[in-house]
Amino acid sequence: MKTSTLKTTRSDMKTLVKDAQKLFHEATSATGDRADELRHRGLEMLDTALTKAHEVQAAALETGKEIAEKTDDYVHENPWRAVAISAGVGVLVGLLISRK
């Protein structure tokens, strides 16, 4: 899942949750069939938000696995370059920490 898709999904989820909250607030002041309908619609919106959250989580896990595989392949193909990059990053982090 691309970054723009993640942002869109996150925005959609926030909107769904806010709408569901509004419906639940309306349902507290409503009675009878209207209250039941509002609660039902709110629960459906929350279920939709939960489904989207699971989709985003699955996409993030898949992306993480792909990145890990690519990194593993790169390190196996270029072990000395990987060691040099790691050492360089370590030196930079050490310099940043020592400045504080």
Side-chain angles (χ1 to χ4, degrees):
M1 206 174 250
K2 296 188 179 193
T3 305
S4 62
T5 306
L6 289 174
K7 288 180 183 177
T8 302
T9 303
R10 188 179 311 145
S11 175
D12 289 348
M13 287 174 47
K14 286 180 182 179
T15 302
L16 281 169
V17 170
K18 285 180 183 178
D19 290 345
Q21 288 173 336
K22 287 179 189 175
L23 286 173
F24 285 128
H25 287 296
E26 286 180 38
T28 58
S29 63
T31 57
D33 291 338
R34 178 74 178 146
D36 290 339
E37 177 192 342
L38 291 171
R39 279 191 288 276
H40 179 71
R41 284 180 45 207
L43 289 173
E44 283 179 349
M45 287 181 172
L46 291 175
D47 285 341
T48 302
L50 185 61
T51 300
K52 285 186 179 257
H54 284 281
E55 289 172 4
V56 169
Q57 180 184 19
L61 286 172
E62 188 63 35
T63 301
K65 288 178 183 178
E66 288 174 8
I67 291 171
E69 286 177 14
K70 288 180 183 178
T71 302
D72 188 52
D73 291 343
Y74 179 82
V75 169
H76 280 90
E77 292 170 8
N78 306 294
W80 289 110
R81 187 177 294 167
V83 168
I85 291 171
S86 298
V89 170
V91 168
L92 289 175
V93 170
L95 288 173
L96 291 173
I97 291 173
S98 68
R99 287 188 176 185
K100 292 183 179 182

